[in-house]
């Protein structure tokens, strides 16, 4: 199974922006290379207007952002791999706040696979957790896959 190589410097950059945007969800497009064994993220494209209309539960995305990201990727000899956004949580007590995609996230990934002709491969989630005044982040990547569904 392929792995995702996400450099620490990019992770720190994303975490800094996600904490600053909190409690609104942060968003970036993943630009890099797909090799036989992995996805290598080399660059994060943060659309200028990405926080406009976004909320603590929703990123108002624009498919046109991917056109700009693809143009940037082409100049760098890279490709658009997918996108990543944060999920924001405030926890007063011990509890769970995961890095799993919501149903809307899966629907977005499926629509982006269709729009991109199957080039959209990764969906990333950054959990931003605020607990007792401190914030922490954790990232997980998910493959944008179609799971077989059989209805009987």
């Amino acid at each position: 199974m392929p792995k995702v190589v996400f450099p620490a410097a990019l992770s720190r950059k994303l975490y800094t922006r996600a904490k600053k945007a909190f409690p609104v969800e942060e968003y970036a497009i993943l630009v890099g290379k797909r090799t036989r064994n992995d996805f290598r993220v080399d660059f994060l494209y943060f659309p200028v207007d990405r926080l406009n209309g976004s909320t603590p539960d929703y990123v108002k995305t624009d498919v046109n952002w991917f056109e700009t990201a693809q143009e940037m990727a082409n100049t760098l000899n890279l490709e658009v791999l997918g996108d990543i956004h944060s999920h924001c949580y405030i926890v007063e007590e011990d509890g769970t706040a995961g890095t799993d995609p919501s149903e809307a996230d899966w629907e977005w990934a499926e629509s982006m696979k269709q729009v991109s002709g199957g080039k959209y491969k990764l969906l990333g989630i950054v959990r931003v957790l605020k607990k007792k005044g401190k914030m922490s982040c954790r990232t997980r990547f998910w493959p944008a896959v179609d799971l077989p569904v059989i209805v009987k």
Side-chain angles (χ1 to χ4, degrees):
M1 171 171 254
K3 63 182 177 182
V4 177
V5 178
F6 191 55
L10 289 180
S11 179
R12 284 190 301 272
K13 181 177 187 176
L14 180 59
Y15 289 177
T16 297
R17 288 183 181 227
K19 288 176 183 179
K20 185 177 179 184
F22 189 92
V24 173
E25 293 187 1
E26 181 56 277
Y27 178 86
I29 295 175
L30 306 165
V31 178
K33 277 279 190 199
R34 168 74 165 108
T35 68
R36 195 174 136 203
N37 297 319
D38 60 26
F39 294 95
R40 189 184 73 238
V41 180
D42 295 308
F43 184 78
L44 295 172
Y45 169 60
F46 294 91
V48 176
D49 58 345
R50 70 194 179 278
L51 298 178
N52 296 347
S54 295
T55 71
D57 299 314
Y58 175 76
V59 175
K60 186 177 179 188
T61 51
D62 185 337
V63 176
N64 294 326
W65 294 343
F66 282 84
E67 292 173 14
T68 303
Q70 188 60 60
E71 290 171 8
M72 295 173 78
N74 291 344
T75 65
L76 300 169
N77 198 29
L78 300 172
E79 58 192 288
V80 171
L81 300 173
D83 58 7
I84 189 165
H85 70 279
S86 59
H87 285 181
C88 302
Y89 299 97
I90 298 173
V91 178
E92 299 300 327
E93 302 292 325
D94 286 338
T96 59
T99 55
D100 3 356
S102 67
E103 184 174 347
D105 294 335
W106 286 120
E107 290 170 359
W108 166 256
E110 179 58 31
S111 69
M112 288 308 299
K113 276 184 65 180
Q114 298 300 319
V115 168
S116 70
K119 294 178 183 175
Y120 181 96
K121 299 288 186 189
L122 293 174
L123 168 65
I125 304 292
V126 176
R127 182 205 61 201
V128 183
L129 182 68
K130 185 173 185 178
K131 183 176 179 181
K132 298 181 182 176
K134 294 184 180 181
M135 296 176 92
S136 63
C137 296
R138 181 175 172 216
T139 300
R140 184 161 183 198
F141 291 94
W142 299 82
V145 297
D146 296 320
L147 298 176
V149 176
I150 300 171
V151 179
K152 292 185 179 189

